[in-house]
Amino acid sequence: MKELKRLRIKFIVSNMAMVTLVIGLAFLTVGYVTKSRVEQANEQILERIYSENIQDFFSTPADMRMPYFIVVTDQKDEIIRVDGQYRLEPEDEFLRYLAATSLAASDDHGFLEDYQLQFARRPFESGYIITYVDTSLGQSYAASTWKTLAIIGTAVWISLFAVSWILSKWSVSPVGESIRREKQFVADASHELKTPLTVIMANAQLLEESEDSRVSQDSRRWITNICQEAADMKKLVEEMLTLARNEASGKVKVKKICSLSDLVTENLLSFEAVFYQSDKVLESTVEENIQIKGDSQQLSSLIRILLDNAEKYSPAGGKISVQLQRTAKRKVRLSVSNTGEEIPEDQRKVIFDRFYRSDMSRTGRKGYGLGLAIAKSIVESHRGSIGVESSGGENQFFVELKALPALQKPQR
């Protein structure tokens, strides 16, 4: 059922949104802490070496793990000494380039991004001492941590999604059972009400047609009202039963190839007299050889509902236009337009709800607000879509369905 599907989707989306937020915050925190610790370790190494006494400056600390090296320059910015965990010579061109770049920097602390080297510079005798720390190991560790976190996070997210999917079915099962019972009750009640209503109508019609002189004129008027109200109630019960059956059955299980063009044409012919008697103009453009898979009886009901709705809500002298055409290779669109009062935008969202009737439908027009709900259930059972547009003093109801190639022959 569509209600259960929407409920399961909401359950899963809400769960996964919360899970994503928690996992994201947790992993971002871990990644940030890891990055901060790596940067802090680099700074500590620089400070450790930077704060050493001059006489101990070139002694390698035993607990120093990060690769580093130290460069000493004279007053002419020439390298006079190199020490550290790399085997470098003062004449090395690359080392001279690094020293020149560091000496030209505006700050005593900096980072050479192209070489992943962090440096600290301070005056020493007539020149400078420049300490370099290789940050590539720390950055590689941080990148590896991020990659590991991404893999773990994805695996955890997928696992929790699977768990949420399973739990969603278990969680909504009581709601589904309640909805099924409600629809079954409506279907059973509607079916049981048809028989007594038929009996009431039959007896009332017999009294109405009776020539018994004992039946007064007032009594005949009351009997006529009984017949009319019973007929209206029977129509309501039949519509409720149709809607309940459509919603309970879901998608059409037995589908046959039928000509939608022929169905539209046949129903237009049957409605021509209705539009003529109500002084309304009917125009139609029906493309031939449009075939779909579905239930021809339900599709005929759909067409009749749309035509009846257009006739009911168009003014005298109004115009109704019906169009059936292909919109794509495998898509077909049926539209029924009528002139009349435009449907407000807020009402277009609820106009297909059961028992909904707009304010303009309460001005003496008969109906119980089930016709469009039945139309929607028929369209959804055929995996199509239905909607309404309103502009320029015209309302248009449209249906989009999946079409078949025109070469196939309809099954009778």
Side-chain angles (χ1 to χ4, degrees), residues 71-306:
V71 173
V72 182
T73 63
D74 58 14
Q75 59 184 356
K76 295 181 180 180
D77 294 340
E78 295 291 334
I79 300 175
I80 58 176
R81 186 170 180 180
V82 181
D83 201 356
Q85 297 181 348
Y86 290 94
R87 293 182 179 180
L88 299 172
E89 298 296 332
E91 295 80 11
D92 193 318
E93 288 296 328
F94 177 67
L95 189 61
R96 290 176 179 272
Y97 172 77
L98 289 180
T101 303
S102 302
L103 290 170
S106 59
D107 197 355
D108 288 337
H109 290 75
F111 182 71
L112 304 178
E113 187 174 357
D114 294 339
Y115 309 103
Q116 294 184 325
L117 291 172
Q118 195 168 350
F119 71 88
R121 180 186 68 199
R122 79 171 187 176
F124 177 68
E125 295 181 353
S126 59
Y128 288 92
I129 289 180
I130 309 173
T131 305
Y132 295 92
V133 174
D134 188 349
T135 62
S136 59
L137 181 61
Q139 291 183 2
S140 176
Y141 172 74
S144 176
T145 301
W146 279 113
K147 185 177 180 181
T148 303
L149 288 175
I151 294 173
I152 294 174
T154 303
V156 171
W157 194 93
I158 293 174
S159 301
L160 291 176
F161 178 81
V163 172
S164 295
W165 179 265
I166 296 171
L167 288 178
S168 67
K169 186 176 182 180
W170 173 77
S171 299
V172 304
S173 57
V175 180
E177 184 63 25
S178 176
I179 293 175
R180 279 190 289 269
R181 287 181 179 179
E182 177 189 350
K183 291 182 177 180
Q184 188 63 43
F185 170 77
V186 173
D188 293 343
S190 301
H191 180 74
E192 294 298 327
L193 285 171
K194 287 180 66 178
T195 301
L197 282 173
T198 302
V199 174
I200 292 172
M201 289 179 63
N203 291 332
Q205 287 172 358
L206 286 175
L207 286 174
E208 186 180 27
E209 296 170 1
S210 173
E211 297 180 357
D212 193 338
S213 58
R214 290 175 297 177
V215 179
S216 66
Q217 191 66 28
D218 290 338
S219 298
R220 292 185 183 279
R221 186 169 63 253
W222 297 336
I223 293 171
T224 301
N225 291 337
I226 292 173
C227 291
Q228 182 62 48
E229 293 300 325
D232 291 343
M233 185 171 289
K234 184 180 179 182
K235 181 180 179 182
L236 171 61
V237 169
E238 289 174 348
E239 289 181 348
M240 290 176 62
L241 182 59
T242 300
L243 184 59
R245 285 174 175 172
N246 289 346
E247 292 182 344
S249 61
K251 294 181 175 60
V252 178
K253 295 180 180 180
V254 180
K255 293 184 177 181
K256 292 185 178 181
I257 299 174
C258 55
S259 173
L260 188 59
S261 300
D262 291 347
L263 291 175
V264 173
T265 301
E266 291 171 4
N267 283 280
L268 283 172
L269 289 173
S270 65
F271 266 80
E272 279 186 350
V274 176
F275 289 114
Y276 178 78
Q277 290 178 355
S278 58
D279 190 25
K280 296 170 185 178
V281 179
L282 174 63
E283 297 179 352
S284 61
T285 304
V286 180
E287 186 175 331
E288 297 182 353
N289 298 324
I290 294 181
Q291 299 170 333
I292 66 172
K293 270 190 174 183
D295 188 315
S296 59
Q297 291 185 349
Q298 288 192 8
L299 292 171
S300 290
S301 298
L302 167 66
I303 298 167
R304 288 195 297 270
I305 289 171
L306 295 179

